[in-house]
Amino acid sequence: MKQIGIVMIGLVLGGCSMHEQALNSKQILPSAYSTEVAQEENEISPQWWEKFNIDPLNALVEEALVNNHDILMAYERLEQARTQVRIAEANVLPFALTAQTSARGVNADGVSTRSEASSLSLNVAYEVDFWGKVAAQTRMAQTSYMASQYDLDTLRLSLSASVVEYYLRLAALQKRVTLAKENVQIAQQLLTIVTHKEAEGLATQVDINRQNSSLLQNTVALVALQSQAKQTANALALLVGKAPQEFEVPLVSFDEITPLRVGSGIPSELLVRRPDIASMMAKLKNAEDAIIVASAQRFPSFKLTGNTGLASTALLSLSNPLTSVLEGVLAYTLFDGGNIKEALNAARSRGNEALLAYEKTILTALKEVEDALLDQALSTQQLALQEEILALEKTTLAQSTLLYQEGVSDYATLLDAQRSFYQAQDQRATQLLSLLNATVTLHKVLGGGWEK
């Protein structure tokens, strides 16, 4: 009779099984990027920064991936997610409860006595997953763990790129500081020339005052660049997980750093190349299972007891399985004040939100790649033009200095040539940094060699 009752439960409630629609994205990816990329460019390797061939930079990246506090906290979050997977997986296994009792009493004379009698009981139970709730909860823990892993990979990728960017910025600032020092020296030399000219009656005090002002302005610019370099080094120390006071950065010559070249592939490859997209997909799957769990709350849960019977906290009795189950279902659906229904609606809404977030992440990734490709192309052109400008300004300064010393040209022409040459040098360093940063950003937005 008991077996018949169990079969009846399956027959009656089988029609109540849930058919939740999967949250599938209808996002259509373009076939190619708008900005063309040269065919000879290379694919990205997981340790892409090593292609710069800068040993101090390689050491800093590896140190940051081990000691950065955000990375360490992400590892802790990953361990917490792994623990939740173990807990969820344990819930699908039978569990046993034991109880032991002993007694202590008082006799007729009021003397305390100890009873050696004790009892031990063992109860074993196993939840029957009629509605797929337990399985969905297990998958939720697993997808949460996967999302945490992908979030960690995203953070590692972002951290690597940040270390490279700050190192390149610091090298560029060192170059600009050197240029600023040279410009101060040139201004000092010109001040000496103007002073001699004034003594010979070939210049005025106004010329001396103007050159003194130029010297002071160049000195102020130098101090500002030195301050920027120190702050950049401090930021790099934080990324590496060290105190700024004990941090030293061995820098290579900025002029020796060559921009990397990389192939962008096709847009659809981003789905498997970017860990942030993989994370959003895992969270989307998690939301789907959350809907299943919320939907299962409409129905009672059952456990197999140690004597192979059925037990349910939702039902008062299973002496009549068919009647009891039907009453339990009605109690769930009619007399819960609508809480379960609204919880299911909320879960579905969160699922739709997760789907939209997933699609937005894809669109954002496409935008970031397009921006990086365009930035790289424009920065390459601008650097080439700036190098032509620098060559012209260098020639102009040399000619202006010679003409002024010979008395053929006036001081204003020389001062203008000096300023233009320094600005061209400084702008060339800035433009090279922009190109380097564009290539670093492109590596990052393409996934940095990561694959799902």
Side-chain angles (χ1 to χ4, degrees), residues 120-309:
L120 177 66
S121 61
L122 176 65
N123 297 316
V124 179
Y126 181 91
E127 183 167 350
V128 182
D129 194 16
F130 276 133
W131 324 115
K133 180 182 70 174
V134 177
Q137 289 173 331
T138 302
R139 290 195 301 270
M140 286 179 64
Q142 293 169 342
T143 51
S144 293
Y145 172 75
M146 292 170 58
S148 296
Q149 179 65 66
Y150 297 146
D151 288 342
L152 173 60
D153 293 339
T154 301
L155 181 58
R156 288 171 59 87
L157 172 60
S158 178
L159 175 63
S160 301
S162 295
V163 172
V164 175
E165 288 174 347
Y166 274 96
Y167 184 90
L168 296 176
R169 184 184 306 174
L170 188 58
L173 284 169
Q174 182 191 50
K175 173 66 176 180
R176 296 178 65 192
V177 165
T178 301
L179 293 174
K181 289 180 178 179
E182 293 175 355
N183 197 44
V184 168
Q185 292 176 355
I186 293 174
Q188 184 64 57
Q189 293 171 0
L190 288 177
L191 178 59
T192 302
I193 294 174
V194 173
T195 302
H196 290 163
K197 289 281 187 179
E198 193 272 340
E200 297 172 358
L202 300 176
T204 66
Q205 185 62 41
V206 174
D207 294 333
I208 294 178
N209 293 340
R210 291 181 63 185
Q211 185 57 36
N212 266 319
S213 176
S214 177
L215 175 60
L216 292 174
Q217 291 175 9
N218 292 337
T219 303
V220 170
L222 171 61
V223 173
L225 288 173
Q226 290 173 329
S227 176
Q228 291 180 37
K230 178 57 179 175
Q231 292 176 359
T232 301
N234 293 343
L236 186 56
L238 180 62
L239 291 176
V240 177
K242 289 186 175 181
Q245 293 78 9
E246 59 184 22
F247 184 67
E248 294 184 1
V249 186
L251 296 173
V252 299
S253 173
F254 185 66
D255 293 328
E256 297 176 0
I257 302 177
T258 304
L260 303 180
R261 299 184 67 83
V262 57
S264 59
I266 58 177
S268 61
E269 292 177 343
L270 288 179
L271 299 181
V272 295
R273 294 173 75 174
R274 287 190 43 146
D276 60 332
I277 295 179
S279 175
M280 294 306 301
M281 172 57 78
K283 292 173 183 177
L284 178 59
K285 295 298 183 184
N286 187 280
E288 288 182 344
D289 286 321
I291 295 175
I292 295 176
V293 172
S295 183
Q297 298 300 326
R298 295 177 295 175
F299 310 108
S301 60
F302 301 93
K303 288 183 174 62
L304 285 176
T305 61
N307 59 357
T308 69

Side-chain angles (χ1 to χ4, degrees), residues 333-378:
T333 57
L334 297 180
F335 303 107
D336 67 343
N339 291 337
I340 295 177
K341 178 182 178 181
E342 294 305 322
L344 177 57
N345 290 336
R348 287 170 176 162
S349 179
R350 286 191 292 269
N352 292 331
E353 180 184 5
L355 178 59
L356 293 171
Y358 171 71
E359 293 177 342
K360 180 182 177 182
T361 301
I362 295 176
L363 293 175
T364 301
L366 292 172
K367 173 192 175 296
E368 290 174 345
V369 174
E370 283 289 355
D371 289 346
L373 288 172
L374 181 60
D375 194 16
Q376 178 180 249
L378 293 179

Side-chain angles (χ1 to χ4, degrees), residues 300-330:
S301 60
F302 301 93
K303 288 183 174 62
L304 285 176
T305 61
N307 59 357
T308 69
L310 275 176
S312 173
T313 57
L315 309 180
L316 295 177
S317 172
L318 280 176
S319 59
N320 187 334
L322 179 58
T323 303
S324 299
V325 169
L326 289 176
E327 289 177 351
V329 173
L330 289 174

